[in-house]
């Protein structure tokens, strides 16, 4: 069971603004910059992103119905700031269970299993010129 949705609401208003001040530079955090599907509004969402052979993987700690994932999939990509670098993300692929878990570091994988997080999204990455 991912983190309950009511926690998402609290984090969106309190935790995310605080983490957003450091997520551009502190590993393994990153800031996902995405655009609302219908509103066109720009959003910044702090996430934990891990390097994979294909690009990056992000654990879906709040489940598969989070708005940032729906925006990412609808647009086919987004931008991310990670370790001070701007990255262009594309081709999001949802992964479930061991297919996604094997892509994150073992210590993180253990924590995700305790939280019963089984869903991930992997994206291809290129550095923004």
């Amino acid at each position: 069971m991912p983190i309950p949705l009511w926690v998402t609401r609290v984090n969106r208003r309190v935790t995310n603004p605080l983490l957003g001040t450091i997520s551009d530079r502190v590993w393994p955090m990153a800031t996902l910059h995405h655009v609302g599907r219908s509103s066109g509004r720009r959003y910044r969402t702090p996430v934990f992103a891990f390097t994979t052979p294909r690009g990056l993987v992000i654990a879906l700690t709040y489940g598969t119905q989070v708005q940032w994932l729906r925006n990412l999939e609808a647009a086919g990509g987004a931008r991310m700031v990670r370790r001070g670098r701007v990255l262009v993300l594309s081709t999001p692929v949802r992964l479930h269970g061991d297919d996604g878990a094997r892509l994150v570091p073992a210590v993180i994988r253990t924590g995700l299993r305790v939280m019963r997080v089984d869903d991930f999204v992997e994206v291809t990455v290129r550095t923004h010129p």
Side-chain angles (χ1 to χ4, degrees):
M1 164 92 180
I3 298 169
L5 286 177
W6 69 267
V7 176
T8 305
R9 290 185 204 104
V10 171
N11 282 346
R12 193 177 318 145
R13 296 200 186 271
V14 179
T15 310
N16 286 358
L18 293 173
L19 289 177
T21 63
I22 63 168
S23 60
D24 286 357
R25 300 213 176 270
V26 177
W27 183 90
M29 297 187 75
T31 306
L32 180 67
H33 295 256
H34 53 102
V35 178
R37 298 177 307 286
S38 56
S39 69
R41 181 176 169 195
R42 295 179 182 271
Y43 294 95
R44 295 171 19 111
T45 303
V47 296
F48 289 92
F50 303 95
T51 305
T52 70
R54 186 173 159 250
L56 293 171
V57 67
I58 302 166
L60 301 176
T61 54
Y62 294 99
T64 59
Q65 296 303 310
V66 290
Q67 296 300 313
W68 68 259
L69 176 60
R70 295 169 72 185
N71 292 341
L72 175 70
E73 290 175 330
R79 296 196 191 270
M80 176 181 280
V81 179
R82 183 174 186 243
R83 296 182 180 175
R85 295 176 50 208
V86 177
L87 307 173
V88 178
L89 312 181
S90 63
T91 325
V93 175
R94 289 188 192 202
L95 301 171
H96 183 75
D98 287 339
D99 290 338
R102 67 179 167 76
L103 297 174
V104 300
V107 67
I108 302 297
R109 189 177 323 131
T110 302
L112 292 173
R113 283 191 177 131
V114 167
M115 293 174 14
R116 297 185 180 155
V117 174
D118 285 330
D119 293 295
F120 303 82
V121 63
E122 187 180 25
V123 293
T124 56
V125 175
R126 70 178 170 83
T127 304
H128 186 267

